[in-house]
Every structure is written in structure tokens, then in C-alpha cells.
Amino acid sequence: MKAHLTRRYLFSASHRLHSEEMSAEENQSTYGKCNNPFGHGHNYILGVTVSGPVDERTGMVCNLVDLDGFIGREVLARYDHENLNTLKEFAQTVPTTENLCTTIYEIVKRGFRHAHLERVRLEETMMNSFEYAGETETIQIT
Amino acid sequence: MVYLTRKAEFSASHYYHNPDFTPEENRRVFGKCNNPNGHGHNYTLEVTVKGEVDPRSGFVVDLKQLKEIMHREVLDAMDHRFLNKEVPDFLHRIPTTENIAIAAWQRLATKLDKAQLHRVRVYETPDLFVDFYGEA
Ligand SMILES: [Zn+2]
């Protein structure tokens, strides 16, 4: 029987929303306070949902040790307590939570082999969150 | 179609062990959860039903009835129990969060009349939950 398993992780990072393609005024009007040149930070809440048949021998969709190990190595070690703007994936891309959400989705999709990735959810603050489930579905902002 | 979710909490103990595995395998696969004396969690059960809104009552389902069914079918069996030893669903199934969600679904699915069961979600901790949609 197929079940969906969601695991929640926390990390903290800083970013500045600024596009080289926009004028100073346009950056200011688009990103507002988030355009502050010194940056600011968030406690992000990451939700990773995987699915698959429940293994009859273990009762599990996938072993949490494998999922925690992968997310710890490939996502948390990469982003926790970092300035997102200094990372190479955000050299040309604005580190909005939309872009961070799809980037994390691609990391997990490419590298995690123990279960099927359903979606990635990223909460930037208690007031906003983003979900990405791959190309066929669009980002949902709630 | 409207979806309605009702939440309940229960506390239970469990451990993970497969009698077909060697002791080393059991320890390697299940880690700390293999301790045969068990350990416990405060589980949250979320039951989502779907249906059309009854024009007379304005309800998808009578919440009081849904609450009673959840208590009778799931909480009365699992709350303050050692799942491995006291709940027949887990005699031959390891009481993982996945299997608890499946067992709750199986206990509830046939007991609802007006509304249809859409999803059972079981939180083991705030950082881990499983959804079961009745998929084979
Ligand atoms: Zn446990």
C-alpha cells in the first residue's frame, strides 16, 4: 500500500533580494525592505514529502535515517547559517523562497534514491509558504 | 465537493521489530526504535472526509458523529496502549507511522456513511507525519 511521508527540517539563512537587471528604483519597488543591501535572514521550515509502497518487512516508505542523512548532507549543510547570495546557484538567480524551494526540489529529485519525491514545501515565515512538485505543477503560494 | 478535517490526539507506545530479521539486522534497520521495552509518542490523527454539502443541514458530515466514530474505531483501541502487544492490527505489522495511518484508514473507511474518507494523516511528532489516501 502506498503512503506519503513528510519530514520537517529547520534551517536559518540570510539573503538579499536584488536583481542586476533592474534599476535601483525598480529593485526598491519590487523587493521593498528585502532589497536592503546588507541582507536579512529567516528561519526556514522545510517540508519534504516522499511516497512509495510501504515495505512489508520494515513498515516504512523509506528509512528516516536515509532521508535525514541525505537532507542533512545535501540541503542543510549547504544552506544552514549561510548567506544565500554568496552561493553559486544564486549568483545569477535571486534567492527568493520560490527559487530556493525549486532548487531544493531539484537537489532531492536528482540525488535521493530511496523513495519518490512528491513535493517540497518551504515556509519563509509563519505568514508565507511555497510548494513545488516539479514541472507539471506550478508553485503554490499560500 | 467540500473537504472537512477533524483532529484527535492519542498517546501510545511501540517498538519496531521484524521476527524474520536477525538481531543485528533489527538493530541496523530500526536503530533506537528496536528497544523491546518500547517507547512512546503523542500522536495526532487527522481525518479528512469529502462530500457534498447537505442543503438541509449545511453539513458535509455531522462533526459530532465523525468525532464519535474516530473515538470508537481508533482512539478506544490505540490510546494509552502498547501497540505491538495490545492492538490486533499490529500482531503481524510493525506499528510504524505508515502502518498506523493504514490501520486507522481500514478501521474508519467502512464506518462513514454520508461522507467519503479522503485522507488519514498521522503525526508521530510535529516533524514527521504520514498521509494515506487508501491507495493500493
Ligand atoms: Zn517511535
Side-chain angles (χ1 to χ4, degrees):
Chain A
M1 271 172 281
K2 181 184 171 189
H4 296 230
L5 178 141
T6 301
R7 185 77 159 146
R8 196 170 73 144
Y9 305 93
L10 302 177
F11 64 93
S12 304
S14 65
H15 67 173
R16 179 202 184 197
L17 304 186
H18 179 85
S19 170
E20 295 297 341
E21 287 160 30
M22 295 182 194
S23 66
E25 295 72 44
E26 204 182 350
N27 267 303
Q28 187 52 47
S29 68
T30 305
Y31 298 121
K33 280 195 294 190
C34 299
N35 189 232
N36 170 10
F38 298 104
H40 63 281
H42 298 285
N43 297 322
Y44 292 93
I45 300 175
L46 168 66
V48 177
T49 302
V50 298
S51 70
V54 178
D55 186 327
E56 281 179 21
R57 295 171 323 134
T58 63
M60 297 171 177
V61 168
C62 73
N63 201 316
L64 278 186
V65 174
D66 295 324
L67 184 59
D68 289 352
F70 180 88
I71 298 296
R73 276 190 317 276
E74 304 296 330
V75 179
L76 304 184
R78 181 156 189 82
Y79 297 121
D80 189 29
H81 287 73
E82 292 290 341
N83 179 334
L84 299 177
N85 299 71
T86 64
L87 303 175
K88 71 172 193 308
E89 59 266 46
F90 298 114
Q92 313 294 330
T93 310
V94 186
T96 57
T97 306
E98 287 90 329
N99 284 333
L100 184 56
C101 186
T102 58
T103 303
I104 293 173
Y105 177 91
E106 295 303 334
I107 292 172
V108 182
K109 191 81 193 170
R110 263 201 315 275
F112 188 65
R113 292 277 160 263
H114 298 278
H116 171 77
L117 177 64
E118 287 283 336
R119 67 175 180 275
V120 166
R121 178 171 196 270
L122 200 53
E123 270 179 51
E124 187 185 62
T125 70
M126 277 162 61
M127 306 302 174
N128 61 51
S129 67
F130 306 79
E131 283 187 34
Y132 186 60
E135 273 308 313
T136 54
E137 290 177 50
T138 45
I139 293 185
Q140 296 192 343
I141 302 174
T142 53
Chain B
M1 186 82 85
V2 175
Y3 296 76
L4 180 150
T5 300
R6 172 91 199 176
K7 198 192 282 205
E9 290 183 331
F10 65 97
S11 304
S13 62
H14 69 173
Y15 75 111
Y16 295 170
H17 180 83
N18 183 333
D20 298 335
F21 290 172
T22 63
E24 295 74 46
E25 256 184 306
N26 268 304
R27 266 196 303 275
R28 185 173 50 77
V29 174
F30 298 123
K32 280 194 295 189
C33 299
N34 188 228
N35 175 352
N37 297 320
H39 62 277
H41 298 283
N42 299 322
Y43 291 95
T44 301
L45 170 70
E46 281 183 18
V47 174
T48 302
V49 300
K50 60 185 173 187
E52 299 301 335
V53 178
D54 181 317
R56 282 177 58 245
S57 66
F59 289 163
V60 173
V61 62
D62 183 337
L63 260 186
K64 198 167 136 280
Q65 254 174 28
L66 178 59
K67 181 185 169 187
E68 280 165 9
I69 293 170
M70 285 165 63
H71 275 259
R72 196 174 60 231
E73 301 299 329
V74 183
L75 299 202
D76 287 355
M78 299 190 192
D79 189 30
H80 286 75
R81 297 288 175 191
F82 194 154
L83 299 176
N84 303 65
K85 302 191 176 172
E86 296 185 275
V87 182
D89 310 52
F90 304 114
L91 277 179
H92 305 290
R93 272 194 286 188
I94 303 170
T96 56
T97 318
E98 288 89 330
N99 279 335
I100 295 171
I102 292 171
W105 175 285
Q106 289 167 338
R107 284 168 169 267
L108 293 167
T110 56
K111 299 298 188 302
L112 302 167
D113 41 5
K114 281 204 190 110
Q116 200 189 334
L117 190 54
H118 171 66
R119 183 183 75 195
V120 168
R121 173 175 287 186
V122 175
Y123 282 86
E124 186 188 78
T125 70
D127 293 331
L128 175 68
F129 64 84
V130 166
D131 291 323
F132 185 63
Y133 297 87
E135 290 173 280

